[in-house]
Amino acid sequence: MQINMDLLNSKSVGNEMWEIVCNTFQKDVIFFLFNRFIKSSDDSITDYQNESKINNRVSEKTKELCLENKSLKSNLETQKKDNLQKDNKILGLQEQLNIMREQNSLSITEAVNTNNAAKEEIINLLKENINQLTDNINELKSDHKIELNDYKLQLSELKTETSTKTSYATGLIGEQRLIELLREDNEFTVKDTHGTSHMGDAEIVYNDFKICIDAKQYKTTCPHKESTKLMEDVEKHNYDGGVLISWDSGIYDPQTSSKIKDHLFYKNINGKPFLFISYASTIPDSLIIKSIKDLYDNKLNSESLNIIQNNEKLKEEFTAMIVNELKELDASDKNHKINMRRNDERRKQLNSILKEYNLSSKLNSSSNSSSNINIVTEICDILTEIKQEYTSQRNSIRDIKTYIETYSEKHSKKYSKFTESDLKKALTQLTIESEKKNGKNYQGKQRKKDTITYAIELSPDHLN
């Protein structure tokens, strides 16, 4: 940019000193140009100074990197030497290991041979023990078979005798059971009256209180006529009270003709106390005796005596007896579980030994045979528990199997799974004969003559 100096007024103020006089626009132009000149000069000086510093710094850094590189190279060489020494040491150790293996190979072989010989000796000893046990088992089986045949013969004779019994003879069983129960208590004076008309099965005197007692052995609900007959016998012979006992079934109320719900049921009829005991077989003998004695207390309180269905005192005694019996059963179950657990642990140990010495295959057959024997024995126990003395039903093998399974589930009984073949073995052991004979099963269904059925009585009440 060119400035016209003629426009500027200047005057000398000294040697080489001038005072410039100008207007505002001229002043701004001059300052602008002057500032650009100053800035351009400063930038040139800075770039020159920085270039020198940069070169010095590069030189210093290069020296440092060279020294560091030399140090790394030296370390690398040292590391290579160490690795070489370690490789040589590894080779030396491997050679020593090979030498030790060769030295110990003979010892290991001798130890293995010695161990195998010891195992062979133990196996031979176990085989001898097994053979001896097998001989003992066979001998016991032979003896057991002879005894079993004798028992079967005896049972067959007993069954022949039992099969000739009439309904009257069956009733005598319940009556005899009643007499034996009453005579266990010294406070009762007992008189057997089952052969005398209209006097029940027994007459007892307790504290000058005379009671007529009748016992029944029905498989279904005791008929209404039996409870009515008891009322008539009490009135006819002027007894102080009456008791009707049904061992394996319920009883009808003589006044309402409805089935009595409670197992122990007191009722005042014509001013006299009566006791009706249903399913007496399931009630402790001590509670039956106590309930009969309570008739005397009911006589003393006859003014306020009404129908007594829920005697709280009796319920408490009944509950206490049941709880005690449950505790005894729980204790028995606990001991049984402990023995079962111990047997399982011992069985595992023995099986482990057999497996170790490859003997398990030789004992599989005997083990399975023992298991089958246990299952058959278990079925025999259940059948003995549930079957009735009389035999009016004809049940097929499937009927009996279904009944056992249902009964066990209803009463929370543990049982092993069994086949119809196992059940047939159990029925044979109990000498329960089978034949193609028609009749009704425990459910009331007719079984045809061309179907094989068994003469075994199964109560439907046990499934309720």
Side-chain angles (χ1 to χ4, degrees):
M1 184 177 182
Q2 187 175 3
I3 302 174
N4 190 352
M5 297 302 294
D6 295 336
L7 298 176
L8 299 176
N9 295 321
S10 62
K11 62 179 180 178
S12 177
V13 292
N15 294 329
E16 298 180 355
M17 295 292 292
W18 300 84
E19 181 179 1
I20 300 173
V21 181
C22 60
N23 56 27
T24 302
F25 173 75
Q26 294 169 341
K27 185 178 180 180
D28 290 338
V29 171
I30 292 172
F31 270 101
F32 172 75
L33 294 175
F34 182 74
N35 287 332
R36 285 193 62 182
F37 171 75
I38 294 301
K39 186 175 184 303
S40 176
S41 299
D42 289 342
D43 289 341
S44 299
I45 293 171
T46 301
D47 290 341
Y48 177 77
Q49 291 174 347
N50 287 341
E51 183 179 2
S52 175
K53 290 180 180 180
I54 289 169
N55 290 334
N56 290 336
R57 182 59 180 163
V58 168
S59 177
E60 292 175 358
K61 193 64 178 176
T62 301
K63 289 179 181 179
E64 290 177 1
L65 292 174
C66 288
L67 292 174
E68 186 176 353
N69 190 28
K70 287 180 180 180
S71 176
L72 291 173
K73 284 183 178 181
S74 176
N75 291 338
L76 183 60
E77 293 295 331
T78 303
Q79 216 168 31
K80 284 182 179 180
K81 291 179 181 180
D82 292 341
N83 290 339
L84 183 59
Q85 291 177 355
K86 290 178 180 178
D87 290 339
N88 293 332
K89 188 174 181 180
I90 290 171
L91 292 174
L93 291 173
Q94 286 179 343
E95 290 178 358
Q96 292 179 9
L97 181 61
N98 292 332
I99 294 170
M100 291 177 67
R101 281 178 178 172
E102 292 175 359
Q103 292 175 348
N104 293 331
S105 177
L106 181 60
S107 300
I108 293 172
T109 303
E110 292 177 354
V112 170
N113 292 334
T114 303
N115 189 32
N116 288 337
K119 284 185 177 181
E120 188 68 25
E121 183 179 354
I122 294 174
I123 290 172
N124 292 331
L125 180 61
L126 288 173
K127 286 181 178 179
E128 292 177 2
N129 292 337
I130 291 169
N131 291 332
Q132 185 177 357
L133 288 172
T134 303
D135 293 338
N136 293 337
I137 291 171
N138 291 333
E139 185 178 350
L140 290 172
K141 281 183 177 179
S142 178
D143 295 339
H144 176 69
K145 190 173 182 181
I146 295 172
E147 292 180 2
L148 184 60
N149 290 332
D150 292 339
Y151 286 138
K152 284 183 177 179
L153 182 60
Q154 294 175 14
L155 287 172
S156 179
E157 293 174 356
L158 289 172
K159 187 175 180 181
T160 302
E161 294 176 4
T162 304
S163 63
T164 60
K165 289 183 178 180
T166 62
S167 59
Y168 173 77
T170 303
L172 288 179
I173 297 175
E175 295 163 6
Q176 184 63 31
R177 186 175 178 183
L178 170 66
I179 298 299
E180 292 175 357
L181 173 64
L182 296 175
R183 285 177 176 167
E184 289 180 359
D185 194 288
N186 296 327
E187 297 183 28
F188 286 157
T189 301
V190 182
K191 180 180 178 182
D192 187 351
T193 60
H194 78 273
T196 306
S197 178
H198 300 290
M199 293 190 69
D201 295 325
E203 173 186 299
I204 65 169
V205 178
Y206 171 68
N207 290 341
D208 297 327
F209 188 73
K210 192 161 59 172
I211 305 172
C212 176
I213 301 181
D214 205 358
K216 300 300 174 183
Q217 188 82 34
Y218 286 97
K219 62 180 179 179
T220 57
T221 305
C222 185
H224 177 264
K225 65 179 182 179
E226 298 292 353
S227 54
T228 303
K229 180 178 175 296
L230 176 66
M231 290 173 51
E232 295 173 352
D233 292 347
V234 169
E235 290 297 326
K236 184 173 183 178
H237 295 279
N238 198 28
Y239 284 108
D240 297 316
V243 178
L244 178 59
I245 297 176
S246 180
W247 293 109
D248 300 307
S249 67
I251 300 174
Y252 282 112
D253 189 310
Q255 292 181 314
T256 64
S257 299
S258 60
K259 186 176 179 180
I260 298 172
K261 296 181 180 180
D262 297 333
H263 285 199
L264 294 166
F265 180 78
Y266 289 103
K267 191 166 188 178
N268 182 25
I269 302 175
N270 299 328
K272 294 183 178 181
F274 284 79
L275 170 62
F276 300 92
I277 305 178
S278 303
Y279 300 99
S281 297
T282 64
I283 300 174
D285 292 347
S286 58
L287 183 57
I288 294 176
I289 297 296
K290 177 67 171 59
S291 302
I292 295 174
K293 289 181 178 181
D294 283 346
L295 284 177
Y296 177 75
D297 296 331
N298 289 333
K299 174 200 171 188
L300 297 178
N301 298 319
S302 59
E303 294 181 359
S304 60
L305 183 64
N306 294 315
I307 296 177
I308 305 174
Q309 290 185 341
N310 297 311
N311 189 309
E312 294 299 328
K313 183 179 178 181
L314 186 61
K315 287 174 67 176
E316 291 176 2
E317 294 174 354
F318 195 12
T319 302
M321 289 183 180
I322 292 175
V323 169
N324 289 334
E325 189 169 347
L326 287 174
K327 287 181 180 179
E328 293 177 0
L329 291 174
D330 290 341
S332 176
D333 290 344
K334 186 176 181 181
N335 292 333
H336 180 67
K337 289 179 181 178
I338 292 173
N339 291 332
M340 287 287 290
R341 186 175 67 252
R342 289 175 179 172
N343 290 341
D344 288 340
E345 292 174 355
R346 182 58 179 162
R347 190 177 291 107
K348 289 179 182 178
Q349 293 174 355
L350 294 175
N351 286 331
S352 177
I353 294 173
L354 292 175
K355 186 176 181 181
E356 181 178 357
Y357 297 114
N358 298 321
L359 294 176
S360 57
S361 60
K362 299 181 180 179
L363 291 182
N364 278 340
S365 59
S366 62
S367 176
N368 292 334
S369 175
S370 174
S371 177
N372 289 337
I373 292 173
N374 292 335
I375 291 174
V376 172
T377 303
E378 186 178 287
I379 297 172
C380 287
D381 293 339
I382 296 176
L383 286 173
T384 303
E385 179 181 337
I386 63 178
K387 71 185 184 67
Q388 306 294 315
E389 294 296 332
Y390 40 87
T391 52
S392 63
Q393 297 174 2
R394 300 299 304 184
N395 290 288
S396 67
I397 192 70
R398 184 168 295 181
D399 290 335
I400 302 171
K401 187 174 187 296
T402 303
Y403 186 95
I404 291 175
E405 292 172 345
T406 306
Y407 175 82
S408 300
E409 291 175 1
K410 289 282 186 181
H411 297 270
S412 301
K413 289 182 175 293
K414 293 183 178 179
Y415 68 98
S416 304
K417 291 184 178 179
F418 61 93
T419 62
E420 292 184 359
S421 176
D422 296 328
L423 179 56
K424 288 179 181 179
K425 292 178 182 178
L427 292 168
T428 302
Q429 285 191 17
L430 295 175
T431 64
I432 298 175
E433 297 179 355
S434 63
E435 59 180 318
K436 290 185 177 180
K437 185 176 180 180
N438 62 345
K440 292 184 178 181
N441 69 354
Y442 71 93
Q443 294 176 324
K445 295 181 180 179
Q446 186 71 29
R447 290 288 176 248
K448 297 181 180 179
K449 190 173 182 180
D450 57 352
T451 303
I452 295 178
T453 57
Y454 290 81
I456 181 173
E457 193 79 13
L458 305 173
S459 174
D461 293 335
H462 289 167
L463 302 182
N464 297 329

